[in-house]
Each structure stands twice: as C-alpha cells, then as structure tokens.
Amino acid sequence: MVLKAPVVLPVSVSVSVSISVTTFSLNPNFFSSSMRSTFTLFRSLTLSTLQLPRTLPSLLHLRRFPRNCVPNAEQWLLHEDLPDNNDNDIFHFSTVEADEKRRLPRPEVEVKELSEVPELWRRSRVAWLCKELPAHKAGTLIRILNAQRKWLRQDDATYIIMHCLRIRENETAFRVYKWMMQRSWYRFDFALSTRLADYMGKERKFTKCREVFDDIINQGRVPSESTFHILIVAYLSSSVQGCLDEAFGIFHQMIQLGGYQPRLSLHNSIFKALISEPGNFSKQYLKQAEFIYHRLVTNGLDVHKDIYGGLIWLHSYQDSIDKERIEALRQEMLRAGIDESQEVLVSILRACSREGEVEEAEKTWCKLSQFESNPPSQAFVYKMEVYSKVGMPMKSLEIFREMKLKLGKTSVAAYNKIIEILCKAQESEFAESIMTDFVKSGLKPLTPSYVYLLNMYFNMESHDKLEEAFSQCLEKCHPNSAVYSIYLDSLVKVGKIDKAEDIFSQMFRDTSIGVSARSCNIILNGYLYSGNHLKAEKIYDLMCQKKYEIDAPLMEKLEYILSLRRKTIKKPMSMKLNKEQREILIGMLLGGLQIDSDDKNKNHIIHFNFDGNSVSHYVLKSHIHRQFYEWLPPTSKPSGDSENIPGKFCTIPSSHFGFYADQFWPNGQPTIPKLVHRWLSPCVLAYWYMYGGHRNSSGDVLLKIKGSREGVENIVKKFKAMSIDCKVKGKGKVFWIGILGSNTTWFWKLVEPYILEDVKDFSKAGVNTMGQDLTETQDINFSSESDE
C-alpha cells in the first residue's frame, strides 16, 4: 500500500489527539536525572499536543509494513542485485533468467497500529523516538534508548525498527535491534530479524547482515532463503579480502543447512566471482568451481557456455593438469551443441604447454587457425613453451619469428618467454640477439629477461659476461633483488669476497633492493669458506634476527665454529616487532591498512593490499614483504627471490598486533587514535604518504585518511607544531589532508630520508604514484578555507 500524507485516523480515546513529531526537540536537560524525570518530560510533551489539530501523521499508520509500501522502493527481484565485478574479459554470464522473476518468500512482520495502543503517553513517546533517533549518532542514540528502558518494551522497539527500515534509516534500525537484544524482556522475532538482515545486506553491509544472520542460527532457526541470497550477494559485491570465501561458505550452508535450491543466477554469479582474478590467483578455487558445475548439472539447470570455458580455463592453470577432466568437459560442450571458442582453445594450448603435449597442441593450433582473426599473442607463447618442454628450442624460435610476421608486433610476454627458453638451452648467441631487439623495442619490463641471461651466464661460468649484463641491467632497469643476488653469487664463486661484501652492503642499505634469505646464505658461504669467521657470525646474527633459514651445510660448519669459540647456538627468537616495523605499521594504518580480529579479539591479522596501478605501491609491496617476512604464513613466502609477490597478502594471526587493532580498528572499523599526534614521526609520515598519499603535478602533497573529524584535527595541530600548514577536505569519514605550496618543502625535508628510492624519483618529478585515487584527487579543491 502506498501512503500519501496526511491521512486522518480515528483515535480510540475520549479526546482526539494530534501528534506532530516535527514539533518535538531534544531537551538539553534530557539526560539530567536530577532536574526532571523522563516521565515528567514526556508528560509535558504530551499535554502540549492537546491543542493541535486532530490528525495523526501517516507514518504511524502502518500495520504490516508491506514490501511495496514506499514509492520507487527496491523490489525483491534479487537477481538484479547480483554484482558485476568481473575483471576477466573472457567470460560473460547472463545472470537473469525468465523463470527467476519470482520474489523470494520471507515472513511478514506483525506490528501494532499506534492507534490500538490505549496509553496516550506511550504513543507520543514512540512517535517522538521514531523522529528523534535517526538524527543522532550511535552514542547519543544508545543514551536516549537507555533513558526509556523503564517503559520501552518489545512491541514499541519493533515498531521503531520497522519505521526506520521503511524510511531507509537502516543503521538506526540495526542499533535499536542490538539494544533490544540486551534487554531482559527480549523475545526472538524471526520475521523481524529476517527483515533487518535483508535490508542490511541490500545496502552491502555484509558485516552487520552476517551478525543478524548468525543471531538467527544461534537461536536454532534456519535463515530464510532471501537472507541467504542477499548475504551472498553482499559478500560478492565487496572487494575485501576473504569475502569470496565467506560467500561460498554461506552458499554451501544455504544448500546443506537450509535445504534450499539456489537460483541459476546465484550459481552463475558465484562462479563468475571465482574466476574474476587472473589465473594464477583463481586456480585455488577449482574445487569450488567444480562444485558449482556439479550443482547445475544435478539440478537440471542450464549450463552457460562460459561455465565450461571457465572450468577449462581453471584446469589449464593447475600445477598438475588433469587431461582426462579437460577432455570430458570438451565432450560435454560438444553434446550441448556449444562450439569451442577461441578463448577455450587458448586454455587448451596453455594446458598443453604445461605438459609438453605437442600432438594435442598442433591439433588445437589448427582449430585456432580456422578463425577469421589471427591467434592471440598468448597462443604463440604457449606453443613456444610446448616445444621447449620437449627439448626443441629452435622450433620455439621459429614460432617466435612466425608471430612477428603474422601479428606485425611482438609482446613483452613473447620476448620474455623466448629469452627464457634460449637461456635454459644455453643458446647464448640467439638469446643475446633477441635481448638486443627487446631493448631496442622500448618494451618493458626488461628485468625478467635479464634474470634469465644472468642465470645462463652463471651456469656457463661466463662471469665476465655476467658482470657486463649486470651493468647493462642497472642502466635500463630499476634495482632488483634477484639480479643483485645472482651477481653476488657470481662474485663469491670467483672469490671476489671484498667486492661481494660491498654489493651485499649496498643491498642492505637500499630498501628498494633489500636482502633475502638467499643473499644472506650466499655471503655467509663466502665468509665461511674464506675463513672470515667473525663476519660470518655477524651474518648469522642478522639471519637469526630476520628469521631466515640457514642452509644445512652452512649450519654444520657454523656449529663447529661457534663451538670452538664456546658460543652457544642461538635458539629462535620470540616474535617481536622492531621499532621500524612499528612505525611502518602506524604509517600504513593511517593510509588505509586493514586489520581483522578473531571473535575473542585476542589474535589479529594485518592485510596488506597494494594497488596494481600505482608506481609507489609496486615498489612498496616488495619492501613490505621483506620487512614483515617472519610474520607471513608459508603460503605468502615465494621460493627464492621470486618477483611474483601478490598484490594482496596477510600476516599470521598474532596477539602482537593487539595494540594496533585496539587503536586503529576497534569494533572492526577504522578510526584515528586520540594519541595519534604522539606517533607522527618522519618515518610514520613517509609510509603514510607512500601507502595512502599522492603528489599532484603542482607538487602538492595529499594524504588520505579515514576516521573522525576530531582525529583529523589532532593531526592538523601536530602538523602546525611542525611548522607545516595544511587544509582538509572531507566527505563522510574519508578526509584528504592537503599540504600545499611552500609547506611541501618542509614536509619533504622531514620524510625524504625514509622514502624508497624509486618512489622518491617519481615524487620529485611530480608524477602520479597512486593509481586508484587519481581521479578522486583531481576533484579536490583546497582553494577555500572551508574543510567541507
């Protein structure tokens, strides 16, 4: 029923009364129990309304709060809410089906009309609360509710909650609900909990939706199908790490616990989310994707062509290729009348390249050649790799040249792959020739190919050529830990220990390069076998401090040396954050770093998320990975000096992060600590700038932060104490602090010693170093004095 205001309603009392909620205002002495009681206040408010016209506002007339009670309200056709966040352009699912336009059933909430309440004072109080509560923040709202606890009961609170939901004040409804749950008179209301969870989920507030969802389960009830569906959609719509796993877990519960049959659109959307990341990251979701496919087949639902393509795509990225399963999927596609697309054939070629299946690769290549357009560049790369696996590098070189003729250009991936193949085969002349062409092409990055060249020269014991290639790499590429480690190993092998020591010291000083377990073992080996035991002990101490594993042969020799000096072997040190790590964490937390805590708030996980489009984040990612190496789980520690550090990784759960969770992420929400001004050291500011800052073309520095206005004011005061004036622009809980004009000079003098070299080069040039915030910062105008 659509309501139009105002509607005149009868009131079952001796005198008709009008309640104009707009006339009520919060008395400043409302919370002073010594001056007047809550009952006396509302009695005076009630008596003051007796002279008003005899009408009740239409907002008090609802009994059931039907779904379509508000004009233009969202309808519960849940397939329309499915997210479209697929980053993979290969797959395009249709998530809306004609037979799914039915609404998901859910219980209706029974709510009394206020006109049925015999007490006039109760009606007036509830009406006042409906008007007043949405206007206040959480703390004030709870204080107002606590002042009503002597008379407020479940029927009243239920009416307030439903009223808030109807006027889209969902946060207020949630707070009233949580307050109501703590009362002794509270009785679980399944219909009310369902309605609240659904509304929170539709706003994509998955944390609060999940909280109500868990409350329903804890009461021994099974959530409704709509709640399952909406919660899954809310998780899928979020980019927060771990939400996809949560969504799939709820999907599994929906089937096992609820006994529901999820819609086809929900199956497709979860599958789409599973393959939305690049293959190397999505391959871990193969079992989940197979489960979705199994559900579709066993329930007789339509299997979209991209379900087949997506499964083959996932299988092609596995470390161990299941050829039988891929073939079975291809046969099922044919039986379903679906032709193999170019993308599917490329996936099959990728699988062949991992197994060295030349015959199958040639068949697939023939099918690819039948398309009107030329095969994509990746197909040539996979075909090159197939022949390299069977020991035919010259055939791979022919395919590389064929690619250049057919496509008229060569991709970076193709250059890197052919150089890798030729270097492994130790075809040095061809590799050097291709490398020369690669450098002349102007394509980047060149670093992986230089790594292949250096490894080839090291294995061929051509140390002079290795040194020459190392010098060329430094001229054309940014400093790289893998490149330095190979050169360090070469110097140690030829006995140039003094020069190796200089290189290791350079790696240690330059945070953009850094030292690793491999480089430490290399220099330790050099010191041990050259007889420099004192320096070997220092490297040993460094490795113990950084929790690096020492190679077994070196450990045996170390134990003998230390036993001669009557020095005990150090046991693994207890985990503890050092001063630099603490300052890094504070700076990055100000810049937007996230912390998750367990249910008991004892152990905490820090999530490092880096923007792939940001120059500073690309450099910062490797540096942070080295700095917190001992705090990372084994799955986040790539072997050797791998440059494939993911854009997202997290620490192990630990109570050592409790201080940072309490100060920066209380109750799972970002905030600015009251004592933040004490911690704003130059190092903290540097990491805040590198992680959550931006420098525009004018040289102005912008720092992004989430929290309260009071917290931002404390930071601004601290900046002023440092003789740095700044301006603030804010929207909601997101603020940009602008350090403009000559103030940037003072800011830069403070932070420059702590800025990583590569970030420093871009910053001085005024180049944007932040990818995702560029468009946002372009719209910020600090010309006015206002901070709004």
Side-chain angles (χ1 to χ4, degrees):
M1 175 179 64
V2 179
L3 298 179
K4 297 181 180 180
V7 178
V8 179
L9 300 174
V11 182
S12 57
V13 291
S14 57
V15 181
S16 296
V17 181
S18 170
I19 303 175
S20 178
V21 293
T22 58
T23 63
F24 295 149
S25 60
L26 185 61
N27 191 307
N29 298 321
F30 182 79
F31 304 109
S32 176
S33 58
S34 62
M35 296 187 66
R36 75 196 301 188
S37 67
T38 303
F39 178 81
T40 306
L41 171 63
F42 277 104
R43 182 173 179 273
S44 64
L45 289 172
T46 304
L47 293 175
S48 67
T49 64
L50 293 176
Q51 305 303 320
L52 298 176
R54 300 180 179 183
T55 59
L56 279 172
S58 59
L59 64 87
L60 304 180
H61 180 54
L62 287 180
R63 179 180 178 83
R64 282 181 176 266
F65 290 89
R67 283 189 291 264
N68 57 349
C69 63
V70 179
N72 301 321
E74 70 270 30
Q75 299 299 308
W76 295 88
L77 300 181
L78 297 177
H79 53 267
E80 295 178 357
D81 298 324
L82 293 170
D84 188 17
N85 59 349
N86 193 0
D87 296 329
N88 194 320
D89 295 333
I90 298 175
F91 307 106
H92 309 281
F93 294 91
S94 173
T95 56
V96 181
E97 302 295 331
D99 61 342
E100 293 191 346
K101 292 185 178 179
R102 63 178 177 85
R103 293 171 180 166
L104 292 177
R106 59 174 183 164
E108 294 290 348
V109 184
E110 294 288 341
V111 184
K112 280 186 177 181
E113 292 181 14
L114 285 187
S115 59
E116 295 177 357
V117 178
E119 302 97 333
L120 178 61
W121 62 269
R122 185 181 293 273
R123 275 183 277 161
S124 62
R125 290 184 184 188
V126 172
W128 182 80
L129 288 172
C130 286
K131 173 65 178 178
E132 197 67 24
L133 292 179
H136 292 284
K137 294 182 179 179
T140 306
L141 182 145
I142 297 302
R143 287 195 293 271
I144 293 174
L145 288 173
N146 285 338
Q148 323 305 317
R149 61 181 179 270
K150 289 185 179 180
W151 66 269
L152 193 63
R153 292 297 179 264
Q154 181 144 339
D155 288 345
D156 308 318
T158 300
Y159 186 90
I160 295 169
I161 292 169
M162 292 304 299
H163 168 79
C164 292
L165 291 177
R166 187 177 73 85
I167 63 174
R168 302 296 184 270
E169 292 289 346
N170 297 337
E171 283 287 340
T172 303
F174 180 80
R175 289 172 184 144
V176 176
Y177 175 81
K178 296 301 290 183
W179 179 87
M180 180 176 71
M181 287 180 63
Q182 297 171 9
R183 309 278 72 81
S184 60
W185 41 257
Y186 170 70
R187 303 181 311 278
F188 175 71
D189 187 334
F190 177 72
L192 179 64
S193 300
T194 298
R195 183 66 59 89
L196 181 62
D198 289 358
Y199 270 83
M200 299 308 298
K202 284 185 72 64
E203 279 196 350
R204 304 295 185 256
K205 295 178 179 176
F206 57 84
T207 303
K208 291 182 173 63
C209 180
R210 179 63 181 270
E211 194 171 339
V212 182
F213 176 88
D214 289 340
D215 287 341
I216 294 172
I217 292 180
N218 291 337
Q219 291 290 334
R221 299 293 298 273
V222 177
S224 68
E225 185 178 358
S226 67
T227 306
F228 275 107
H229 190 122
I230 292 171
L231 180 55
I232 292 169
V233 169
Y235 274 127
L236 294 179
S237 301
S238 173
S239 59
V240 177
Q241 189 177 25
C243 279
L244 180 55
D245 295 318
E246 291 292 336
F248 191 83
I250 298 296
F251 179 77
H252 200 268
Q253 273 188 303
M254 185 178 185
I255 298 165
Q256 300 297 327
L257 178 63
Y260 298 117
Q261 296 296 329
R263 295 177 168 190
L264 172 60
S265 58
L266 193 59
H267 285 84
N268 285 345
S269 288
I270 295 177
F271 190 93
K272 182 180 180 181
L274 292 173
I275 61 174
S276 62
E277 295 290 333
N280 287 329
F281 299 108
S282 288
K283 67 179 184 180
Q284 60 180 311
Y285 294 116
L286 177 62
K287 289 183 179 179
Q288 291 89 328
E290 286 281 11
F291 178 79
I292 297 292
Y293 174 78
H294 175 74
R295 289 279 312 167
L296 292 170
V297 173
T298 54
N299 287 282
L301 299 173
D302 292 333
V303 182
H304 193 276
K305 64 179 182 179
D306 283 335
I307 296 286
Y308 291 112
L311 271 177
I312 294 173
W313 180 78
L314 282 174
H315 274 286
S316 71
Y317 275 103
Q318 300 304 307
D319 297 329
S320 178
I321 302 297
D322 189 343
K323 293 182 287 185
E324 294 180 359
R325 180 58 181 154
I326 292 176
E327 184 58 31
L329 288 169
R330 295 177 71 182
Q331 293 301 320
E332 289 174 27
M333 281 183 70
L334 292 176
R335 284 195 293 269
I338 301 173
D339 294 329
E340 292 177 331
S341 65
Q342 193 177 55
E343 291 77 17
V344 170
L345 293 174
V346 170
S347 295
I348 295 168
L349 259 182
R350 185 186 301 109
C352 293
S353 71
R354 290 174 176 264
E355 294 291 310
E357 293 283 345
V358 175
E359 185 177 349
E360 185 62 36
E362 286 294 348
K363 289 180 183 178
T364 306
W365 187 261
C366 289
K367 293 181 180 179
L368 271 174
S369 302
Q370 293 172 6
F371 286 87
E372 293 182 3
S373 59
N374 285 320
S377 60
Q378 272 307 109
F380 286 93
V381 173
Y382 296 139
K383 192 178 179 185
M384 282 190 279
E385 192 172 358
V386 168
Y387 282 99
S388 74
K389 285 287 177 69
V390 295
M392 299 174 65
M394 291 300 103
K395 179 65 176 176
S396 299
L397 184 58
E398 286 180 23
I399 297 166
F400 175 78
R401 290 169 176 165
E402 180 188 355
M403 173 188 180
K404 207 166 185 179
L405 288 173
K406 285 190 174 181
L407 301 184
K409 60 181 180 179
T410 308
S411 66
V412 173
Y415 269 120
N416 282 323
K417 178 54 66 177
I418 192 60
I419 291 172
E420 178 189 6
I421 291 169
L422 294 173
C423 287
K424 285 182 178 178
Q426 295 190 356
E427 296 286 350
S428 58
E429 291 183 9
F430 289 110
E432 290 165 358
S433 175
I434 298 292
M435 188 67 200
T436 303
D437 292 341
F438 190 13
V439 173
K440 290 179 180 178
S441 70
L443 297 173
K444 290 185 178 181
L446 298 168
T447 305
S449 291
Y450 272 115
V451 171
Y452 300 139
L453 274 177
L454 291 170
N455 273 319
M456 177 183 70
Y457 290 139
F458 183 84
N459 294 329
M460 294 172 65
E461 298 187 358
S462 300
H463 298 286
D464 292 338
K465 284 191 173 183
L466 190 151
E467 186 161 6
E468 184 181 348
F470 174 75
S471 300
Q472 291 176 5
C473 180
L474 294 187
E475 293 175 5
K476 303 181 185 303
C477 307
H478 293 296
N480 178 275
S481 179
V483 170
Y484 269 86
S485 294
I486 298 169
Y487 182 51
L488 181 69
D489 205 355
S490 172
L491 292 173
V492 169
K493 192 166 186 178
V494 297
K496 297 181 179 180
I497 303 300
D498 292 339
K499 193 168 184 179
E501 184 177 346
D502 292 339
I503 291 294
F504 183 83
S505 298
Q506 183 181 345
M507 295 171 69
F508 186 80
R509 289 192 307 269
D510 192 338
T511 53
S512 62
I513 305 170
V515 295
S516 62
R518 177 186 173 185
S519 56
C520 287
N521 274 298
I522 291 170
I523 194 68
L524 178 62
N525 178 61
Y527 286 143
L528 286 175
Y529 286 93
S530 65
N532 197 333
H533 297 163
L534 185 62
K535 288 184 177 180
E537 284 185 36
K538 290 182 179 179
I539 296 298
Y540 167 69
D541 291 338
L542 174 66
M543 295 182 74
C544 289
Q545 179 186 348
K546 289 187 172 288
K547 313 294 189 299
Y548 290 154
E549 187 176 350
I550 301 173
D551 293 343
L554 300 180
M555 195 65 223
E556 291 177 7
K557 193 168 182 63
L558 266 173
E559 288 176 350
Y560 174 71
I561 293 169
L562 294 175
S563 64
L564 291 177
R565 294 170 58 85
R566 297 181 181 179
K567 189 173 182 179
T568 57
I569 301 293
K570 292 183 180 179
K571 296 181 179 180
M573 299 170 63
S574 61
M575 299 285 279
K576 188 177 180 181
L577 290 165
N578 59 39
K579 181 176 182 293
E580 185 179 7
Q581 288 172 328
R582 293 196 297 270
E583 290 191 305
I584 289 172
L585 280 182
I586 292 173
M588 294 181 70
L589 283 165
L590 290 172
L593 201 65
Q594 295 182 1
I595 298 181
D596 280 344
S597 305
D598 60 15
D599 295 336
K600 296 181 180 179
N601 209 35
K602 288 186 177 180
N603 291 312
H604 315 273
I605 297 174
I606 297 178
H607 294 276
F608 296 101
N609 296 330
F610 296 94
D611 179 13
N613 298 319
S614 166
V615 176
S616 64
H617 275 210
Y618 179 80
V619 178
L620 188 62
K621 176 180 68 175
S622 300
H623 173 66
I624 295 300
H625 192 274
R626 289 192 296 271
Q627 286 291 332
F628 290 89
Y629 186 85
E630 69 270 23
W631 296 93
L632 303 180
T635 54
S636 295
K637 295 179 180 179
S639 57
D641 287 292
S642 174
E643 292 301 307
N644 296 322
I645 297 173
K648 298 179 181 180
F649 54 87
C650 60
T651 64
I652 57 175
S654 175
S655 60
H656 286 79
F657 304 129
F659 169 79
Y660 306 95
D662 294 340
Q663 294 291 328
F664 291 90
W665 278 83
N667 304 317
Q669 295 295 325
T671 190
I672 303 173
K674 292 182 180 180
L675 299 178
V676 66
H677 56 281
R678 297 185 180 180
W679 308 326
L680 294 182
S681 67
C683 181
V684 168
L685 294 177
Y687 281 91
W688 181 8
Y689 165 73
M690 287 189 288
Y691 190 69
H694 164 69
R695 195 174 193 186
N696 61 23
S697 56
S698 302
D700 299 330
V701 173
L702 310 180
L703 299 174
K704 187 178 182 180
I705 191 169
K706 290 183 180 180
S708 64
R709 182 171 298 278
E710 293 77 13
V712 175
E713 288 175 355
N714 286 339
I715 293 174
V716 171
K717 289 177 183 176
K718 179 64 175 180
F719 276 136
K720 287 184 178 178
M722 296 176 177
S723 301
I724 300 174
D725 290 328
C726 52
K727 294 185 178 181
V728 179
K729 291 289 179 181
K731 184 178 181 181
K733 292 187 177 182
V734 179
F735 296 87
W736 282 94
I737 299 176
I739 302 172
L740 316 177
S742 60
N743 291 289
T744 59
T745 304
W746 296 106
F747 177 82
W748 196 251
K749 282 185 178 180
L750 278 175
V751 303
E752 188 173 18
Y754 303 94
I755 299 291
L756 302 180
E757 285 299 323
D758 287 350
V759 179
K760 192 183 299 183
D761 294 339
F762 280 96
S763 295
K764 285 184 176 180
V767 177
N768 171 50
T769 59
M770 293 297 294
Q772 61 188 3
D773 293 326
L774 176 59
T775 55
E776 185 177 354
T777 58
Q778 287 174 340
D779 296 331
I780 298 177
N781 179 16
F782 289 97
S783 58
S784 65
E785 294 297 327
S786 171
D787 59 357
E788 294 296 335

